[in-house]
């Protein structure tokens, strides 16, 4: 119980820290009148999008809440309440992150104007930290409160199934935020670039371009709000997996309570470590990357130390516990998976390494070779990441098996590994979320005609942000695969618990085989649908931008006082994104429900199949996209003829193809694989 | 037994028909001296490649034969002998097909010159038919003879395991032929195009281009020899799967003998039907496509009729047979899978349908949108094909279950479905193989400066060939997935038979889970390796073509008597292809062996994982490539500005990306998934 109170305290502390950083951001100057105007435009667009998105998703949430009420014979009405609670927290995390980011952008530009990188980095980081600690704080506090209420106060016999519904709520919002935000941002990005840079020949972020504000809005709704909801879901989901598994598998065992509190303990330690680590992010001695990485490494080190110290203490003298060091192995395996997959992402997407340089070199022979090179590198990175994940999961399983005297204990080890990956979420999101703030600051600097050195400063921050984002995506994907696997095993326990027949899930059973094929297929379908959605939305945007250049007199010539109708461009992107997100998003939830009601064994196969190809496609698409993006940046920095050369044009093609890969389809895939599993887990009693 | 003799007779008849068609081809005029010279150059290059390839692969075959001798404690030395026998037959099929194709190319061009399409189509088709009936005839006769020898004469107790080794031999050759041939042809193709068309600005198939002969050689070694070995392997593999399964699962049951002869019966009926159908391929009334399709439909109709008539006769009065109509359902399910997946391929790759036109339309906004569109359509086609395959396999399983009173009878139904898909192989290969012949004829027409209407005639044949090739690939992939699944189930039986523990293959067993992840990963790694291999080989080719243009005086200007050093270009492509095929090819065989010796359950997971993602990637890559190719051709025919427009340039980028997709990585994937399963099946006793 002590760890429950500590978890609540630390969750609250994170929220206090977020408020503290938020105040620091607000206190900074947002610059001149034009910059403030741009900031207001971006914020208005972003808020309008979020409002419309949440309104649309609310309908969906209500429907699913009703289904939970109708079909599930346990925990009425608390299951539906918990589901809505999870959805609301996730939406709140996205909302707060975005409010801060849309306040920090102009202020970062202003800081860069006044004091260069040295002043801009801390401000951008603090903006990101608001998001990081809000997401983590809401997750830890929100889940601890739910634990207190459902387990300790209500003492509901299905308390842990109810808590699982929180995860489903968070996943629903996360999926729609990622898909909707991803479509919005890429439609605006492609629309702005294709007409602006290529057809009309004006620079990036030129104020004459009607899609530029939409593009800047997109950075916020996709990379900030979408990512916030996504990571909130990952964090909460990773903690729910061991809770739910322990509830089903360790029923009435001596160590069940400790197994419940252990993930909370790891998260609490990680949160404390993240808070400490955040004070280590200071430019000064060393590189920019060094400043950011220092915070991360300090936090991870403290977390590991805490786990090594407190694990034996928690499990000391508990019956049926063989060797609590096994759990330390599980946590370490999780950190190793996250760290190594993040490192693989960096190798494949940072222009400091050979691979991106090679992709850039292939641009000399044209777009076809650069695209082929990115595709093959992306596939290779997926293969390597899977090998790492498989080894790490084997390690975590072995650790869990070592810890408890129970045939399923290894699965608990896998679940704990996912908690380990995400324990320092506070600092990793802070480091990650600063990227889009710097990106936005650059856009504002450009549009407000600030001196070129300001743009250079924000570009330096932004380039670094691309790599930290790739690494954070590696973490997110790694944790998603591990969490989904743990939830998948829990699904079996839930089916057994509900009286269903799933002692084994035999691949050689035709139901399972067919489920495997269908599940393996779904991520391909989902990727196809989301890529097409981006394409269609971008086409609408392109038409609108062309129309404005054609119909607004003096716009292209840059006549004084003539401004594009940016609000209309934002509106078009918003409508397109909301329309396009519905089918892929709903399919991800409907498919397991439909298959589950037909055959639970087929559903088991379906989940395994989608987990595997979803994981592969997520990494493939994220890393191929990241490699193309940075290959383009590498050429822009002067290689192979630099900006405007044929090689650069070829690299831009790769970058554009990578846009929906890395910012829409790829990151959504993480959520899809967990969402499908968690929806199956919750409805398992209804299927049986 | 009667069906064994009929099978041998019909196999021999097919070979006689192939000889008859071959004589007809040889009897035609090969045109003027220049055309004969070009034909000789192409043939020499192709033969040199094949000789060097087979020499390289022979080393590999000897090693694997030695492993079989050492590790397998059954059927010594016959297992190794059968393995070499299968390899030799597969190589022979490729060799004969290529000899004919390299004789039919110039003759088709000459026929087009003399009599246009009406004369060229029958000749090209006959060239293809030599290949088709050689492959099918060698397969049916070769397998029947092996049955006669090992089962009836030798009466070896492991006769069916020995026969399975024939499949492994065929697969080994097929894999290396597909990969090696695919790398050769695409390296030459990309090299010829990038330097010739784009850098130097000379037309396609211009005799000044040093890589043009290599490109024409490539059509033969990749599309003819590679495809021949591939389809030989598929055909033999599909028949071996039910034999092997019945041998393990139906041991000592009343209907075992009938279960052995049934696949031979289907193949025999299909062969007879193909022979009859081949006489229906005549241009005249109706379109070109109609002429080719008529032959296929007639053959399929006759086969179905034969199955409906003879199935009840064969199983009449046999004990433990519940309802032999179940087997008819299985065959029909197989034909439905093949037909529908072929149809899906046609929808996604033929410019007569909406999708290719839409991909072409996306070329208007540049290469990025055309590539994205092709990728998403390819993924969508993979998803649809998997749904069809899953439904069809469920139908076949149900059919098998209906037929026999045995818990595993459904698996036999799946195995029979694969035989159904490929039963009319004779005619489908004939229709498919004529494409590269027409392609080659066009190249020769161009290089021999024949009048433009000759090229138009061969182009019309070639365009049609692209679609028939896509449909044939659909058949090949569908049969591969079904065969691999049947072999996978047989693998379990083999492990059980050897005393191993594989009653269930539980996804929730951590060994199996990790195997699934690793297996799912492998096709991504294989695709990455083969794409990179093509890229590297193409780079060598590009360097060589540039060097010749630079160093051979008068070459680019087209000075009289100056000829490029084509032989050197062929040699470079050959060496590159042979070097590059080794790693991906060997990995596909080594991986299951390594994993199998560690954990048989992990191997089970590995096979299932690779089957699923391999199937998905194979269809995705083949259809995306086909869509880009025909989108380009659609634009070349005049849409969106036609040849030379920006849209055309964008479409060429898509086409180039599609080259290794559809001709190297995609088609190899079929073989990979079967090869991994069959190698596991053969070595199962050694693992246990």
């Amino acid at each position: 119980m002590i760890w429950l109170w500590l978890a609540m305290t630390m969750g609250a502390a994170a929220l206090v820290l977020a408020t503290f950083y938020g105040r620091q951001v607000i206190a900074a100057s947002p610059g001149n009148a034009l910059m403030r105007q741009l900031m207001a435009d971006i914020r208005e667009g972003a808020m309008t999008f979020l409002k419309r998105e949440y309104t649309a998703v609310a309908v969906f949430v209500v429907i699913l809440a009703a289904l939970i009420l109708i079909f599930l014979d346990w925990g009425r009405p608390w299951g539906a309440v918990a589901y809505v609670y999870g959805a609301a927290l996730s939406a709140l995390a996205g909302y707060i992150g975005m409010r801060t980011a849309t306040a920090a952008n102009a202020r970062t530009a202003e800081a860069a104007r006044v004091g260069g990188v040295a002043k801009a980095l801390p401000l951008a980081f603090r903006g990101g930290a608001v998001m990081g600690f809000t997401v983590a704080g809401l997750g830890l506090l929100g889940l601890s409160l739910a634990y207190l209420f459902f387990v300790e106060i209500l003492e509901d016999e299905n308390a842990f199934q109810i808590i699982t519904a929180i995860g489903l709520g968070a996943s629903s919002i996360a999926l729609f935020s990622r898909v909707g935000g991803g479509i919005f941002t890429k439609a605006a990005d492609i629309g702005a670039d294709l007409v602006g840079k290529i057809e009309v020949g004006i620079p990036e972020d030129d104020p004459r371009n009607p899609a530029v504000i939409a593009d800047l809005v997109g950075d916020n709704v996709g990379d900030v709000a979408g990512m916030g909801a996504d990571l909130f879901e990952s964090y909460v989901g990773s903690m729910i997996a061991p809770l739910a598994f322990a509830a089903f598998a360790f029923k009435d065992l001596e160590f069940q309570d400790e197994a419940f509190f252990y993930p909370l303990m790891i998260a609490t330690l990680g949160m404390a470590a993240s808070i400490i680590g955040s004070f280590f992010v200071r430019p000064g001695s060393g590189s920019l990357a060094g400043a950011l990485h220092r915070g991360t490494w300090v936090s991870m080190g403290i977390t590991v130390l805490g786990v090594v110290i407190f694990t034996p203490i928690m499990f000391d003298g508990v019956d049926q516990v063989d060797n609590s060091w096994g759990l330390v192995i599980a946590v370490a395996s999780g950190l190793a998976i996250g760290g190594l997959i993040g490192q693989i992402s960096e190798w494949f997407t940072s222009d400091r390494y050979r691979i991106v340089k090679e992709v850039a070199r292939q641009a000399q022979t044209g777009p076809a070779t650069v695209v082929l090179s990115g595709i093959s590198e992306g596939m290779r990175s997926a293969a390597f990441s899977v090998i790492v994940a498989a080894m790490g999961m084997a390690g975590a399983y072995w650790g869990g098996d070592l810890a408890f005297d129970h045939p399923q204990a290894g699965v608990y080890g896998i679940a704990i590994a996912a908690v380990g990956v995400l324990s320092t979420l506070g600092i990793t999101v802070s480091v990650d979320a600063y990227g889009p703030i710097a990106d936005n600051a650059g856009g504002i600097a450009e549009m407000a005609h600030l001196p070129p050195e300001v743009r250079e400063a924000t570009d330096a921050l932004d380039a670094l942000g691309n790599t930290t984002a790739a690494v954070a995506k590696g973490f997110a994907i790694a944790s998603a695969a591990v969490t989904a696997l743990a939830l998948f095993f829990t699904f079996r326990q839930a089916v057994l618990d509900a009286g269903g027949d799933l002692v084994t899930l035999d691949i050689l059973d035709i139901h399972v085989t067919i489920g495997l094929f269908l599940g393996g297929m779904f991520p391909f379908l989902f990727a196809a649908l989301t890529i097409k959605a981006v394409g269609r939305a971008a086409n609408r945007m392109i038409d609108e931008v062309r129309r404005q250049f054609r119909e607004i007199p003096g716009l292209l010539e840059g006549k004084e006082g003539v401004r594009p109708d940016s609000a209309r461009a934002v509106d078009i992107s918003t409508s397109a994104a909301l329309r396009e997100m519905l089918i892929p998003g709903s399919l991800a939830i409907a498919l397991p429900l439909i298959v589950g009601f037909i055959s639970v064994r087929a559903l088991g196969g379906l989940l395994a199949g989608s987990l595997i190809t979803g994981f592969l496609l997520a990494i493939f698409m994220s890393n191929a996209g990241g490699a193309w993006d940075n290959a383009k940046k590498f050429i822009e920095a002067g290689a192979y003829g630099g900006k405007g050369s044929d090689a650069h044009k070829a690299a831009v093609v790769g970058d554009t193809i990578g846009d929906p890969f890395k910012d829409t389809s790829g990151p959504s895939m993480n959520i899809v694989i967990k969402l499908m599993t968690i929806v199956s887990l919750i409805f398992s009693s209804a299927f049986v």
Side-chain angles (χ1 to χ4, degrees), chain A residues 135-484:
Chain A
V135 165
L138 281 178
L140 190 54
L141 182 61
L143 197 66
S144 319
L145 284 175
Y147 192 102
L148 184 70
F149 181 70
F150 294 117
V151 182
E152 306 289 345
I153 297 177
L154 222 60
E155 294 187 17
D156 193 299
E157 58 168 336
N158 297 297
F160 289 96
Q161 275 151 297
I162 295 171
I163 287 177
T164 309
I166 299 176
L168 181 59
S171 292
S172 313
I173 297 292
L175 182 65
F176 284 108
S177 298
R178 260 299 188 197
V179 177
I183 295 172
F184 182 105
T185 180
K186 290 303 127 184
D189 190 3
I190 295 175
D193 282 2
L194 272 185
V195 183
K197 282 204 273 191
I198 296 173
E199 286 184 18
V200 186
I202 56 179
E204 188 157 353
D205 294 334
D206 190 293
R208 287 170 290 178
N209 192 330
V212 162
I213 291 285
D215 189 10
L216 294 173
V217 169
D219 290 342
N220 289 294
V221 303
D223 295 349
V224 178
M227 193 191 62
D230 180 353
L231 286 168
F232 176 83
E233 181 266 349
S234 300
Y235 188 62
V236 171
S238 76
M239 283 189 281
I240 286 175
L243 290 180
F245 184 79
F248 284 116
F250 297 160
K251 209 167 270 181
D252 306 324
L253 295 180
E254 289 292 334
F255 57 87
Q256 195 186 26
D257 273 352
E258 281 75 17
F260 285 146
F261 289 125
Y262 191 60
L264 290 177
M265 179 191 110
I266 300 172
T268 306
L269 290 170
M271 185 72 86
S274 296
I275 293 175
I276 297 168
S278 74
F279 294 104
F280 282 81
V281 178
R282 270 188 308 255
S285 57
S287 68
L288 279 181
L292 292 171
H293 283 150
R294 201 181 311 131
T296 312
W297 292 125
V298 166
S299 307
M300 284 196 183
I302 296 177
T303 309
V304 170
L305 196 69
V307 168
V308 167
I309 293 172
F310 288 105
T311 302
I313 295 178
M314 180 181 262
F315 289 95
D316 184 40
V318 179
D319 258 8
Q320 294 174 299
V321 174
D322 288 339
N323 187 345
S324 65
W325 285 97
L327 295 175
V328 177
I329 292 174
V331 175
S333 301
L335 284 171
I337 296 175
L340 279 172
I341 290 184
Q343 187 59 54
I344 290 172
S345 294
E346 193 163 345
W347 280 326
F348 279 85
T349 62
S350 161
D351 60 10
R352 290 185 297 129
Y353 296 100
R354 202 183 44 77
I355 290 168
V356 168
K357 287 181 188 152
E358 171 61 24
V359 173
R361 201 176 65 78
Q362 292 292 338
Q364 290 178 288
T365 35
T369 39
V370 82
V371 171
L372 279 173
S373 164
I375 287 176
S376 72
E377 294 300 354
M379 286 182 163
R380 212 153 60 102
S381 76
F384 293 164
S385 302
V386 167
I387 294 173
V388 165
M391 298 299 111
M393 288 191 283
Y397 188 92
W398 176 66
D401 204 40
L402 219 58
F404 303 128
D405 179 19
H406 186 278
Q408 297 288 322
V411 178
Y412 183 78
I414 289 179
I416 284 299
V419 180
V421 179
L422 292 175
S423 55
T424 56
L425 188 84
I427 188 86
T428 35
V429 175
S430 306
V431 169
D432 187 16
Y434 108 103
I437 295 176
D439 195 3
N440 250 255
I444 291 177
E446 190 82 28
M447 293 185 76
H449 309 295
L450 297 188
E453 60 268 27
V454 177
R455 178 71 196 226
E456 274 161 34
T458 60
D459 273 358
L461 294 180
D462 184 26
L464 179 58
N466 271 324
T467 300
T468 58
V471 176
K473 269 176 202 156
F475 262 82
I477 295 172
S479 77
V482 181
T483 302

